[in-house]
Amino acid sequence: MKKRILFVDDDQQLLTSIRRMLWGAQDRWEMNFLRSGDEALNLLSSQRHDVIVADMRMPGMDGRRLLRTVRKQYPWMMRLVLSGESNQRSILRSVPEAHQFLTKPVSADQLIKVIERGCCLRDMILSHEIKSIIGKIDSLPAQPAIYEALLKVLDDESAPVEAISAVIAKDVALSADILKLVNSSFFGPRVKVRSLDQAVTLLGMETIKGLVVGLQLLKIFDTRKIPSFSFPKLWEHSLATARLARRIAMLEGLSPEAQDDSYIAGMLHDLGKFVLADKLTADYLRVVETARNENVPIDLVETRELGAGHPQAGAYLLGLWGLSDSVLEAVVFHHEPQAQGVTGMSVLTAVHVANVLEHELVVINPDYAKHIMDMEYLSNAGVAGRLETWRQVCREALTEGEAG
């Protein structure tokens, strides 16, 4: 079935240009081009669409109002901004209704890649119910100002520690969270860390970058809704998995980029649990209780009861936020790596192994269902013989209280 894509912009010349450059996509897309928000909502009331691409500045109903209405009425749709606004950071702050932001002029390849990726994730990962639930999330703090600014500073290899901490310091709450974490027994600092400069020096730039992503993301979910489920423990597990995954990736000689992706994917691999608990609270409480009573892995109960598990929910949301393909693959397949079909050492391998080993080495409750290492996958990847080395390295890292 063809995907329906709706483009909304008051610039007729631009719409004509987009129609022309996407001519080759007609075999798989049904496209509509309208010049106002009112026209767009009128069409959507009678015809289902998968994606809307809207300009920010339009007379009458602007892009922000249009996308806000679409989010509320048609939450399954992917919402993109295509804007000529030069200050993208201000757009990110003012339009939480959008999943991604593209700047004019945009190439056909770029536009096609973003749209097809979003549609593919919908088809591959989630049921209609879960798409709708995730679509209702009204703030997307993954890529906004502070993370974007941090990446820009980190791109400058000569940037001093002070420049990095100065970016973080602009967010008082984030600064407090990072200092609290670095001073926790989990990180095991030998001295009291009182400044962000010390924190960056102690943990390293990539660890700080991952913490910024994780802390910003997880703030949007209300973890008090299911008091019987320990979200603080889940966060600690996520932190440990992230650092162990990067240690394994480093040990196996993966590229610096893959090591970073291993860390970020490890930190966010269970993000879907926060999503499902926040948006399907009563249902997820039953899922947690069933998994414990039946001693069954929670992802299997999630899929059985909700139509999708936390790996799919987390990967879908991260895909909309624009994280790398290797991160998405590691998140969605971290319990079932063979489903990816790719052999060899990879980000997915590091995250899968780190997740299982962290659960094995840090036992919260011996009665919970055990996480199973996919030995067939490791054999096919040619790395099964490395497992004992990884286990020993992870055990030492957890004992030392540090894995970075």
Side-chain angles (χ1 to χ4, degrees):
M1 181 181 296
K2 287 186 177 182
K3 300 298 182 184
R4 285 202 182 108
I5 320 296
L6 175 58
F7 295 89
V8 187
D9 198 303
D10 63 308
D11 185 341
Q12 182 60 54
Q13 185 175 355
L14 176 70
L15 291 178
T16 300
S17 174
I18 293 176
R19 185 194 298 268
R20 186 181 302 115
M21 73 179 187
L22 296 179
W23 182 262
Q26 288 187 107
D27 60 330
R28 57 192 185 279
W29 291 357
E30 180 180 325
M31 293 173 279
N32 289 297
F33 301 85
L34 300 175
R35 295 187 60 182
S36 76
D38 289 328
E39 289 181 300
L41 293 179
N42 185 55
L43 178 62
L44 290 175
S45 68
S46 61
Q47 190 178 78
R48 182 187 175 92
H49 281 68
D50 299 284
V51 181
I52 182 169
V53 184
D55 186 21
M56 279 291 298
R57 296 182 175 178
M58 296 184 291
M61 181 182 296
D62 62 14
R64 180 178 184 178
R65 288 176 55 203
L66 171 60
L67 294 182
R68 181 188 298 141
T69 303
V70 169
R71 177 178 62 80
K72 292 178 179 178
Q73 296 183 5
Y74 313 102
W76 61 84
M77 290 181 65
M78 183 179 186
R79 306 179 300 275
L80 302 177
V81 165
L82 178 57
S83 176
E85 169 67 54
S86 59
N87 188 347
Q88 189 177 24
R89 191 171 300 172
S90 67
I91 298 174
L92 292 174
R93 286 196 296 266
S94 62
V95 191
E97 288 77 22
H99 289 128
Q100 281 199 48
F101 303 83
L102 301 173
T103 303
K104 299 175 183 176
V106 64
S107 69
D109 288 343
Q110 182 184 10
L111 195 54
I112 289 172
K113 181 178 180 180
V114 170
I115 292 175
E116 289 197 335
R117 186 186 190 202
C119 291
C120 182
L121 283 166
R122 283 164 165 72
D123 293 341
M124 178 181 72
I125 296 173
L126 297 175
S127 66
H128 173 69
E129 180 186 15
I130 303 298
K131 293 178 197 175
S132 298
I133 292 164
I134 290 179
K136 291 177 182 176
I137 296 176
D138 56 10
S139 61
L140 302 175
Q143 294 293 79
I146 188 165
Y147 186 63
E148 183 182 355
L150 189 62
L151 291 181
K152 287 182 179 179
V153 173
L154 292 174
D155 282 341
D156 182 0
E157 296 181 359
S158 63
V161 167
E162 293 79 9
I164 298 167
S165 57
V167 172
I168 300 171
K170 293 178 181 179
D171 187 322
V172 176
L174 178 63
S175 301
D177 285 340
I178 287 178
L179 289 175
K180 180 179 178 181
L181 277 171
V182 75
N183 280 305
S184 69
S185 59
F186 188 69
F187 278 91
R190 295 178 175 83
V191 296
K192 181 71 174 179
V193 178
R194 301 185 183 279
S195 72
L196 288 173
D197 291 351
Q198 285 180 286
V200 174
T201 301
L202 177 65
L203 297 182
M205 293 181 183
E206 293 307 321
T207 298
I208 288 291
K209 187 170 69 174
L211 285 175
V212 169
V213 176
L215 288 167
Q216 290 289 291
L217 284 177
L218 301 179
K219 278 182 180 179
I220 69 175
F221 302 113
D222 185 355
T223 60
R224 297 168 298 179
K225 291 183 176 179
I226 304 183
S228 62
F229 191 82
S230 178
F231 286 96
K233 292 287 187 184
L234 178 59
W235 177 228
E236 287 189 0
H237 162 69
S238 298
L239 287 172
T241 301
R243 295 181 296 149
L244 296 180
R246 186 172 62 183
R247 172 65 69 88
I248 292 169
M250 186 184 305
L251 196 65
E252 298 309 306
L254 295 186
S255 69
E257 294 78 14
Q259 292 175 33
D260 294 347
D261 282 350
S262 297
Y263 182 85
I264 294 172
M267 175 172 287
L268 302 176
H269 74 285
D270 277 342
L271 173 67
K273 291 182 179 178
F274 290 84
V275 178
L276 297 175
D278 189 66
K279 298 300 175 184
L280 283 175
T281 304
D283 291 333
Y284 202 68
L285 180 58
R286 287 193 293 271
V287 165
V288 171
E289 292 174 346
T290 299
R292 291 175 179 174
N293 293 336
E294 297 182 3
N295 196 28
V296 176
I298 195 168
D299 59 300
L300 299 183
V301 182
E302 291 166 348
T303 301
R304 185 179 74 198
E305 301 295 329
L306 305 178
H310 69 270
Q312 293 79 18
Y316 175 77
L317 192 56
L318 293 173
L320 293 180
W321 279 324
L323 272 74
S324 72
D325 287 345
S326 61
V327 169
L328 296 184
E329 290 164 353
V331 171
V332 75
F333 297 120
H334 72 268
H335 285 303
E336 301 177 302
Q338 284 199 75
Q340 187 200 35
V342 177
T343 59
M345 188 65 200
S346 66
V347 173
L348 170 60
T349 310
V351 173
H352 170 67
V353 172
N355 179 51
V356 175
L357 289 180
E358 202 283 337
H359 279 293
E360 173 189 311
L361 298 170
V362 182
V363 179
I364 296 176
N365 188 322
D367 294 329
Y368 291 169
K370 290 181 171 56
H371 289 67
I372 305 301
M373 190 77 71
D374 192 333
M375 294 305 302
E376 183 177 351
Y377 167 79
L378 295 184
S379 295
N380 291 338
V383 295
R386 299 289 292 159
L387 180 57
E388 285 308 313
T389 298
W390 295 337
R391 179 178 281 112
Q392 182 59 32
V393 166
C394 291
R395 181 183 291 111
E396 292 172 357
L398 290 171
T399 300
E400 294 168 0
E402 57 180 359

